[in-house]
Amino acid sequence: MCKLNKTLQTINDVLFGVVSSGLSKYLDLRTPKALREGLQMTGLAMVNLRPQSGLQDLSKLMRSNSATRWGNKFEAFFSYKIGYLVMSCLGPKFACMLNYRILCNTTFTISNVLGPREEITIAANPITYIRANTSSLPHAITMHMLSYAGRADMQILVAKEIIPDPEVLASCFEEALLELKKAAETATKT
């Protein structure tokens, strides 16, 4: 876990920088010529278009006229229209197969969730961290970044047949984060 800088505008910039650099480092270690020889990787980033304003009251989220609705509004206009067209013309079976094919043709997925900015408790028990998890996705790598109370936690799930040494991958991400931190510290000193 790393402590977030209060002046940081968005963790997304840091996350994608670390992932890009970390994956490049890992590929250079495992297959030094892979990137030069045209290795292609496709990533899928899950996004939440709902505005975040700290901890949100569940009763407000459930109201139909709420500006901040419950759930993930991933349905951008274009995606929604395409999905609606596929569903209307070709049916739910085809739409399901199409979504699965899109997921199957990605190498990795990234999700980044902004959690509560302040510490929370459940039944007077303090919550120390929050984790997100998925399973059965047909990817080589699944990464979840979740921030909570000023900290960010990155979880990495790998397919052992494709990434036989996840510790090495994790150390590549860690090295990329430390390099980014050092570069940011150097930039602020000058």
Side-chain angles (χ1 to χ4, degrees):
M1 286 192 172
C2 65
K3 192 74 173 164
L4 293 178
N5 184 344
K6 296 279 184 201
T7 61
L8 188 63
Q9 291 297 317
T10 174
I11 193 69
N12 280 327
D13 297 330
V14 175
L15 170 65
F16 283 101
V18 167
V19 167
S20 176
S21 178
L23 284 174
S24 292
K25 288 176 183 302
Y26 180 77
L27 290 172
D28 281 343
L29 284 173
R30 298 276 295 150
T31 314
K33 296 180 183 179
L35 295 176
R36 289 188 296 274
E37 291 175 354
L39 174 73
Q40 293 184 357
M41 296 176 65
T42 304
L44 178 65
M46 304 297 185
V47 296
N48 181 0
L49 301 177
R50 180 172 31 127
Q52 297 289 333
S53 56
L55 194 58
Q56 299 165 5
D57 184 6
L58 181 60
S59 62
K60 289 180 184 175
L61 292 172
M62 298 303 283
R63 288 190 203 132
S64 61
N65 61 350
S66 171
T68 306
R69 299 288 306 271
W70 183 253
N72 190 341
K73 292 186 180 180
F74 183 72
E75 296 174 333
F77 182 74
F78 184 71
S79 296
Y80 176 78
K81 289 295 185 183
I82 294 287
Y84 182 80
L85 181 67
V86 168
M87 211 39 181
S88 299
C89 297
L90 303 171
K93 230 178 186 176
F94 185 82
C96 182
M97 187 267 310
L98 180 62
N99 281 337
Y100 184 77
R101 294 283 306 214
I102 290 170
L103 285 173
C104 285
N105 287 307
T106 57
T107 310
F108 64 92
T109 57
I110 301 174
S111 71
N112 182 18
V113 178
L114 177 64
R117 293 186 179 136
E118 58 279 340
E119 290 186 13
I120 59 174
T121 61
I122 296 178
N125 294 305
I127 304 300
T128 53
Y129 61 87
I130 300 173
R131 298 275 170 117
N133 198 357
T134 57
S135 62
S136 302
L137 291 175
H139 300 110
I141 309 169
T142 301
M143 294 168 274
H144 298 293
M145 175 71 95
L146 197 137
S147 63
Y148 169 62
R151 298 178 68 86
D153 186 21
M154 184 173 188
Q155 302 163 69
I156 306 166
L157 293 86
V158 299
K160 279 288 237 184
E161 312 81 53
I162 301 170
I163 311 287
D165 48 3
E167 308 82 20
V168 174
L169 178 63
S171 68
C172 289
F173 286 137
E174 182 179 7
E175 184 181 330
L177 178 62
L178 294 174
E179 285 175 3
L180 189 64
K181 180 182 176 187
K182 184 177 179 181
E185 288 171 346
T186 303
T188 58
K189 288 179 184 177
T190 58

